[in-house]
């Protein structure tokens, strides 16, 4: 059933039914560890009372938490031969006894890396130790359940990755198609002029050439993002850690950006008092700055962008503030994920990679990036990197 891709719920029910038939005395239960790793959630226990299953759903993992919660905590099989008198069942003793459950043996289900996925338990109606046969059945049950659960989750992750890939390819194709189509149209127009098929005053040629250059830069930027994403995912990006003047880097990037944008670009003001030396990779730091400033200008509705560089007690900080469309609080975490964009900016185009790339680069420089924003109230992105003198002091210790 596992090999043929049957639904996990059906596999687990069949497994429990088979093991109960083999034991002839046990009532089987399977619980799964939740995402927090602190609680167990009901997965399958068709022979146990429904009311008991409801109460057990959400059982805390701990040193004294019945057979199942304790088995996860210890990462080994827990045998309780008499629930009425065993201290591990202090919190749930009345619940178990009220449903006629007097003994329980629980074994943790592990994945291929040794992480706990859940528990497989054998309950009994009378106080008793599990037989050697039941212990063997429990061991087989937990191993088969582990294979089924891990395969199911791997399949789900693969399907999610394939959906993300397809969505990304659709977006990337659209984003790349637009500048390429514009480039080709402008080239065709210039070819007509060159061959004498169209008379255009010289003063009108400059805007056409300028448009070619802008679309070429846009296309180059998209391709560079794709290449950087590929390098990051394959682990081929190397990050240096050397002294970098964050204030000087900000001024240099702002100057280059404004030189290439023309008179209609929004103003960018850099606020810094003296040098602010951080530990980082100068080239990668400039990439982060370009990404943040490009977004600020793109979504800033033409208002000035404020860049602040300052030294805190332990970190150098770079703040990029715009007065644009803003980002809803529920999108703050998602925008730093691969191929994700805030709902408020989806009509603006883009690959959904720039903030993900920025976060990856900043974290590889042992820093962090965060955002403060509300819809309609602009956004402030903050990059924090280790101060150079702070790192020297720590290394000296």
């Amino acid at each position: 059933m596992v090999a043929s891709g049957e639904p996990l719920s059906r596999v687990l029910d069949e497994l429990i039914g088979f093991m109960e038939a083999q034991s002839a005395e046990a009532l089987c239960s399977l619980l799964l560890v939740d995402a927090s790793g602190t609680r167990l959630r009901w997965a399958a226990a068709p022979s146990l009372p429904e009311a008991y299953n409801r109460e057990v759903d959400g059982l805390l993992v701990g040193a004294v938490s019945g057979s199942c919660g304790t088995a996860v905590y210890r990462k080994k099989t827990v045998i309780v031969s008499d629930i009425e008198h065993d201290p591990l069942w202090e919190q749930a003793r009345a619940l178990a006894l009220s449903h006629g459950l007097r003994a329980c043996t629980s074994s943790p289900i592990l994945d291929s890396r040794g992480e706990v996925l859940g528990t497989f338990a054998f309950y009994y109606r009378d106080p008793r130790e599990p037989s050697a046969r039941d212990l063997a059945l429990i061991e087989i049950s937990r191993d088969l359940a582990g294979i089924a659960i891990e395969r199911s989750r791997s399949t789900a992750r693969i399907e999610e990755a394939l959906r993300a890939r397809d969505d990304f390819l659709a977006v990337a194709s659209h984003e790349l198609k637009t500048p390429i189509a514009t480039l080709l149209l402008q080239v065709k127009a210039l070819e007509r002029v060159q061959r004498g098929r169209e008379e255009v005053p010289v003063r009108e040629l400059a805007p056409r050439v300028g448009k070619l250059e802008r679309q070429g830069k846009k296309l180059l930027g998209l391709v560079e993002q794709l290449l950087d994403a590929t390098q990051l995912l394959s682990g081929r990006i190397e990050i240096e850690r050397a002294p970098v003047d964050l204030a000087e880097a900000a001024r240099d990037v702002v100057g280059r950006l404004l030189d290439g944008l023309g008179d209609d670009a929004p103003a960018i003001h850099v606020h810094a008092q003296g040098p602010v030396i951080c530990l980082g990779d100068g080239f990668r730091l400039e990439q982060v700055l370009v990404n943040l400033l490009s977004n600020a200008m793109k979504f800033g509705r033409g208002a000035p962008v404020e860049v602040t560089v300052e030294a805190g007690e332990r970190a150098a900080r770079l703040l990029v503030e715009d007065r644009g469309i803003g980002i809803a609080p529920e999108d703050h975490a998602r925008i730093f994920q691969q191929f994700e964009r805030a709902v408020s900016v989806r009509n603006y185009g883009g690959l959904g990679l720039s903030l993900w790339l920025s976060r990856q680069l900043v974290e590889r420089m042992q820093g962090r990036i965060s955002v403060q924003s509300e819809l309609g109230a602009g956004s402030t992105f903050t990059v924090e990197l280790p101060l150079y003198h702070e790192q020297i002091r720590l290394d000296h210790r």
Side-chain angles (χ1 to χ4, degrees), residues 244-256 282 285-286 289:
V244 179
D245 186 344
L246 193 55
E248 183 181 355
R251 294 190 189 96
D252 287 347
V253 170
V254 168
R256 290 201 302 271
L285 185 54
E286 288 188 1
L289 281 162

Side-chain angles (χ1 to χ4, degrees), residues 279-335:
L279 267 178
D281 186 311
F283 175 71
R284 299 301 178 185
L285 185 54
E286 288 188 1
Q287 283 185 279
V288 173
L289 281 162
V290 168
N291 287 342
L292 295 180
L293 289 169
S294 297
N295 283 345
M297 291 186 289
K298 183 176 181 179
F299 306 124
R301 297 187 290 203
V305 176
E306 308 296 331
V307 179
T308 303
V309 181
E310 59 190 19
E313 290 185 4
R314 297 180 63 87
R317 284 193 292 270
L318 168 80
L319 293 85
V320 177
E321 179 183 4
D322 67 66
R323 303 172 194 170
I325 60 176
I327 303 165
E330 59 268 23
D331 283 338
H332 287 187
R334 190 162 57 81
I335 59 174

Side-chain angles (χ1 to χ4, degrees), residues 4 28 62 67 79 81 163 174 188 193 206 238 252 273 320 322 368 394:
S4 62
C28 297
S67 299
I79 299 174
S81 59
R163 284 195 297 272
H174 175 75
K188 290 289 185 184
V193 173
E238 294 184 2
D252 287 347
Q273 294 182 349
V320 177
D322 67 66
R368 63 186 296 267
L394 290 173

Side-chain angles (χ1 to χ4, degrees), residues 190-211:
L190 291 173
E191 284 179 348
R192 288 196 298 271
V193 173
Q194 183 186 19
R195 295 173 183 175
R197 298 177 184 174
E198 182 180 343
E199 292 186 6
V200 178
V202 174
R203 65 178 179 277
E204 295 183 14
L205 288 176
R208 295 190 179 187
V209 174
K211 195 168 187 178

Side-chain angles (χ1 to χ4, degrees), residues 34 37 56 73 82 139 165 251 270 272 328 382 391:
D34 70 2
V56 170
Y73 180 82
D82 187 355
E139 185 175 342
R165 181 204 63 183
R251 294 190 189 96
V270 179
T382 302
Q391 185 65 35

Side-chain angles (χ1 to χ4, degrees), residues 59-71 73-74 86-93:
L59 175 70
L60 278 170
V61 173
V64 182
S65 189
S67 299
C68 295
T70 308
Y73 180 82
R74 294 180 181 176
D86 196 294
L88 292 181
W89 277 83
E90 180 180 355
Q91 300 299 320
R93 180 176 292 118

